[in-house]
Amino acid sequence: MKFLFGGKGGVGKTTTAATAALYWAGRGKTLLVSTDPAHSLSDIFEMSVGGTETEIRPNLFALEIDPESAIHAYKEKIVQQFGRTLQEFHLNLEAYLESIEHNPGAYESAIFDEFAKHLLRNDYETIVFDTAPTGATLRLIFMPDYLNNWIQFLIQSRKGILKLRDMLTREKDPVIETLYQMKSQFEKIGRLLTSEETKFVLVLNPETLAFEETARTIRFLHRFNVPVGGLVVNRVVDDAFPYRGYLASQKRILETIQHKYNRIPQVQIPFLGDEVKGLDRLGQLLPFLEQLFH
């Protein structure tokens, strides 16, 4: 099972994802992966977590995707798959690879490569993703569709080049073979992201801006048949909260969420008053979050 925790920045995605990973680690080998450039797993677990899998406790491992390492791996992949083709067109390979480091599109493709690599893993029973704020995460999720269309265009273009060069007599063209392999992988990722095996869990605070962003995200996901596996309403204050206006606003938002999204599993996590760090504090959230998985 795969879980993607997303939402507006600052709503508690990392804390919630870490708690979910702790829950599933009690039921089997679990990996927690952070795709957010502003990594905070080390802070949450109060121990060093980096680009390699770190054991947090028995059955629970975590890692943070390192952008620099992702770019380096992406450049190596480009050389392996398309270096020969680039040289055929007398392109400066070194200059092209250098440009990748400063290309936002290439950066996102590199992060997607790492995300996809972990999404397709089957050596863990559960993989939980702590994702970047909503916009970046949605681009990550819908990149397979975009890249699949782009790959199809490249395949047709390559076939045209081969025809022009009278190279159709080749039994196999390595570039086209690579493009078809990439196309197959993107299709597999796309199917996985829209299957019951993957759950997209949205985290929000009971505040207007967070609710509105969540509502837009749900509409967007539904339009592309990506199932929303749950809503986590974080930092819910009780009636003793001194600001009555905030309480009234929170109550309206909570009622709207419960009514409008009654078909989506929902849980509420109370505001605990301070930062949640360490396994003991995360354990205090387990009784609330585990309701989402029953």
Side-chain angles (χ1 to χ4, degrees):
M1 184 67 72
K2 313 293 194 305
F3 291 93
L4 280 70
F5 280 78
K8 189 175 182 294
V11 296
K13 291 190 305 296
T14 301
T15 302
T16 309
T19 306
L22 186 62
Y23 170 84
W24 286 107
R27 287 146 185 82
K29 191 178 179 184
T30 300
L31 177 65
L32 174 61
V33 180
S34 173
T35 68
D36 188 347
H39 297 304
S40 52
L41 293 185
S42 295
D43 292 332
I44 292 292
F45 290 120
E46 297 183 317
M47 61 186 298
S48 179
V49 177
T52 57
E53 290 164 42
T54 302
E55 185 173 11
I56 305 299
R57 57 170 293 178
N59 268 352
L60 177 57
F61 298 80
L63 67 84
E64 297 173 333
I65 293 177
D66 175 44
E68 289 188 12
S69 296
I71 287 287
H72 179 72
Y74 185 67
K75 287 165 67 174
E76 288 189 343
K77 179 179 176 180
I78 291 292
V79 172
Q80 182 180 6
Q81 294 181 334
F82 300 111
R84 178 179 169 184
T85 302
L86 292 171
Q87 288 173 345
E88 280 184 19
F89 290 98
H90 305 291
L91 295 176
N92 187 323
L93 185 58
E94 287 189 12
Y96 175 75
L97 294 175
E98 183 68 24
S99 71
I100 286 177
E101 295 185 11
H102 309 289
N103 186 327
Y107 169 82
E108 289 196 339
S109 294
I111 297 297
F112 172 77
D113 262 12
E114 290 297 305
F115 165 72
K117 179 179 73 176
H118 295 297
L119 186 72
L120 293 172
R121 293 177 68 164
N122 55 19
D123 53 337
Y124 285 88
E125 293 182 48
T126 305
I127 300 181
V128 178
F129 291 89
D130 168 35
T131 71
T134 308
T137 300
L138 291 180
R139 289 195 297 273
L140 200 66
I141 289 174
F142 295 110
M143 193 169 285
D145 277 345
Y146 167 77
L147 292 176
N148 202 27
N149 292 332
W150 177 239
I151 290 295
Q152 187 59 45
F153 169 77
L154 291 178
I155 288 172
Q156 295 305 319
S157 299
R158 181 65 179 176
K159 286 180 177 179
I161 291 169
L162 294 178
K163 187 175 181 179
L164 287 172
R165 293 186 177 185
D166 196 26
M167 295 167 66
L168 288 175
T169 54
R170 288 184 180 181
E171 291 185 7
K172 289 185 178 180
D173 175 65
V175 175
I176 286 185
E177 289 295 311
T178 298
L179 291 172
Y180 273 121
Q181 289 171 9
M182 293 172 66
K183 187 175 188 296
S184 176
Q185 185 180 43
F186 293 144
E187 289 171 349
K188 183 177 181 180
I189 294 167
R191 288 194 299 269
L192 183 58
L193 286 171
T194 56
S195 73
E196 289 300 317
E197 188 180 343
T198 302
K199 304 291 185 184
F200 197 103
V201 180
L202 293 171
V203 184
L204 70 154
N205 298 151
E207 299 171 354
T208 301
L209 291 179
F211 170 73
E212 289 177 349
E213 182 165 316
T214 301
R216 286 193 298 270
T217 302
I218 292 173
R219 288 196 299 270
F220 193 76
L221 291 171
H222 282 172
R223 192 169 68 195
F224 288 92
N225 300 314
V226 175
V228 178
L231 293 175
V232 177
V233 188
N234 193 28
R235 299 174 186 152
V236 177
V237 298
D238 59 26
D239 290 339
F241 194 71
Y243 300 103
R244 312 313 295 177
Y246 184 90
L247 271 175
S249 173
Q250 173 186 269
K251 183 178 180 181
R252 287 194 301 271
I253 292 172
L254 291 175
E255 288 175 349
T256 300
I257 292 171
Q258 291 167 359
H259 174 71
K260 188 172 183 179
Y261 302 117
N262 57 10
R263 294 186 178 182
I264 301 175
Q266 303 176 21
V267 295
Q268 295 181 10
I269 297 179
F271 177 58
L272 299 181
D274 56 4
E275 290 186 281
V276 177
K277 291 184 177 183
L279 291 173
D280 289 342
R281 289 285 280 161
L282 289 173
Q284 294 178 20
L285 300 182
L286 277 176
F288 303 100
L289 197 61
E290 66 185 4
Q291 300 171 43
L292 194 66
F293 307 121
H294 285 169

